[in-house]
């Protein structure tokens, strides 16, 4: 499925023909974003370049706006992603992408579901002789990407770990993510200078220092991320510690950072 977004056209979608071609007609001059939706349920072994392109139409038709993909189900190596310590019976997305690699920069994703004790696993096919960044995050249904705007961020109770570097050679690989179920949350709202809510803004928490809530001993920790809802509100799931929280949205300046310390029984910020 291919989509087109522009100020003059709004949001349009089409489906590729049997030979992979697609077209949008009746488009006026202007700047457009063209992209493709990848359904992980049917294309989880398809890698390739960027899924988005910026197109400027002046006076003539724009052609050769191509997306190059490769099915690595037969030639790729298998990466087994194991998850422990997660929330029970929860859908998650495992993913890998090759930053700086024009052929495989787009993420390969697949849904996994943890069992009753928060353990799960899944496999991804990756291109040999390629270096990937692989991670795990909340599951966003494919249908959410076809609404004409950014998908809403689902509620989740675990702290997404930083991506891991995976160097694919000639053998199959495996990695394990030991998840941490968040013990606290930061609740806030993104607004403009007039106090009006701003939706679809990404909010992130960068850890400065973390500590065990029982002993107070300093320990390693991970940050968190969220996205503001239609009323501007957001919820960051975190563990106890001190964080630097900020927000950014495409085409807008990022906010100033705010330092927040999360402890048991604190008020929301």
């Amino acid at each position: 499925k291919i989509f087109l977004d522009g100020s003059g056209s709004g949001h349009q979608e089409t489906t590729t023909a049997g030979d992979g071609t697609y077209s949008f007609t009746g488009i006026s001059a202007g700047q457009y974003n063209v992209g493709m939706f990848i359904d992980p349920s049917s294309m989880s072994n398809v890698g390739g370049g960027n899924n988005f392109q910026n197109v400027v139409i002046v006076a003539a038709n724009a052609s050769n706006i191509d997306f190059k993909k490769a099915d690595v189900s037969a030639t790729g190596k298998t990466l087994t992603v194991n998850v422990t310590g997660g929330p029970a019976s929860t859908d998650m997305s495992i993913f890998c992408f090759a930053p700086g690699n024009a052929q495989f920069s787009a993420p390969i994703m697949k849904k996994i579901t943890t069992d009753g004790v928060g353990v799960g696993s899944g496999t991804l096919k990756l291109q040999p002789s390629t270096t990937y960044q692989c991670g795990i995050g909340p599951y966003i249904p494919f249908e959410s990407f076809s609404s004409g705007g950014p998908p809403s961020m689902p509620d989740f109770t675990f702290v997404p770990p930083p991506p891991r570097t995976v160097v694919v050679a000639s053998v199959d690989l495996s990695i394990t993510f030991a998840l941490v179920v968040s013990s606290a949350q930061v609740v806030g709202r993104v607004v403009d200078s007039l106090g009006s809510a701003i939706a679809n803004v990404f909010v992130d928490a960068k850890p400065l220092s973390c500590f065990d809530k029982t002993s107070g001993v300093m320990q390693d920790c991970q940050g968190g991320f969220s996205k503001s809802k239609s009323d501007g509100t957001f919820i960051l799931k975190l563990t106890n510690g001190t964080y630097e929280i900020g927000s950014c949205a495409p085409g807008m300046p990022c906010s100033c950072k705010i330092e927040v310390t999360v402890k048991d029984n604190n008020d929301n910020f």
Side-chain angles (χ1 to χ4, degrees):
K1 184 178 289 187
I2 308 295
F3 71 86
L4 174 79
D5 284 318
S7 58
S9 67
H11 179 81
Q12 299 185 39
E13 296 181 7
T14 189
T15 302
T16 56
D19 60 356
T21 58
Y22 72 93
S23 65
F24 293 97
T25 60
I27 304 300
S28 59
Q31 182 171 320
Y32 297 88
N33 293 318
V34 182
M36 66 180 301
F37 298 116
I38 299 291
D39 187 350
S41 65
S42 60
M43 299 180 68
S44 61
N45 294 324
V46 175
N50 195 354
N51 290 339
F52 304 92
Q53 295 192 49
N54 193 300
V55 179
V56 177
I57 297 178
V58 181
N61 294 332
S63 58
N64 299 320
I65 311 301
D66 299 335
F67 298 92
K68 296 182 179 180
K69 301 296 175 182
D71 185 352
V72 295
S73 56
T75 60
K77 297 302 174 183
T78 299
L79 173 70
T80 300
V81 181
N82 302 300
V83 177
T84 63
S89 305
T90 299
D91 293 337
M92 303 177 182
S93 290
I94 56 175
F95 63 87
C96 290
F97 64 98
N101 186 317
Q103 290 182 304
F104 294 96
S105 59
I108 295 176
M109 297 184 292
K110 184 179 288 186
K111 183 180 81 170
I112 65 170
T113 303
T114 57
D115 62 15
V117 294
V119 175
S121 67
T123 60
L124 295 170
K125 286 287 190 176
L126 303 179
Q127 178 72 11
S129 303
T130 304
T131 299
Y132 289 85
Q133 292 289 308
C134 300
I136 185 168
Y139 172 68
I140 301 177
F142 172 72
E143 295 77 15
S144 300
F145 290 89
S146 300
S147 61
S152 58
M153 183 65 67
D155 293 329
F156 56 98
T157 59
F158 65 94
V159 181
R164 302 258 295 275
T165 299
V166 175
V167 180
V168 183
S170 58
V171 297
D172 295 335
L173 302 163
S174 67
I175 57 174
T176 298
F177 290 100
L179 299 184
V180 176
V181 177
S182 57
S183 58
Q185 64 183 21
V186 172
V187 178
R189 190 164 178 257
V190 181
V191 297
D192 61 19
S193 59
L194 299 178
S196 300
I198 306 177
N200 298 319
V201 176
F202 290 97
V203 183
D204 69 279
K206 177 183 177 182
L208 300 178
S209 62
C210 292
F211 45 85
D212 183 87
K213 66 179 182 180
T214 301
S215 65
V217 175
M218 300 301 295
Q219 60 184 16
D220 292 335
C221 63
Q222 299 155 2
F225 66 90
S226 183
K227 191 172 69 169
S228 62
K229 299 180 180 180
S230 58
D231 61 355
T233 59
F234 66 87
I235 298 176
L236 285 165
K237 299 290 187 177
L238 302 168
T239 56
N240 285 5
T242 300
Y243 299 85
E244 193 176 62
I245 298 178
S247 62
C248 285
M252 300 176 63
C254 295
S255 69
C256 296
K257 301 288 187 179
I258 301 175
E259 185 175 304
V260 174
T261 297
V262 180
K263 296 181 179 179
D264 289 343
N265 302 318
N266 260 19
D267 290 335
N268 291 331
F269 292 85

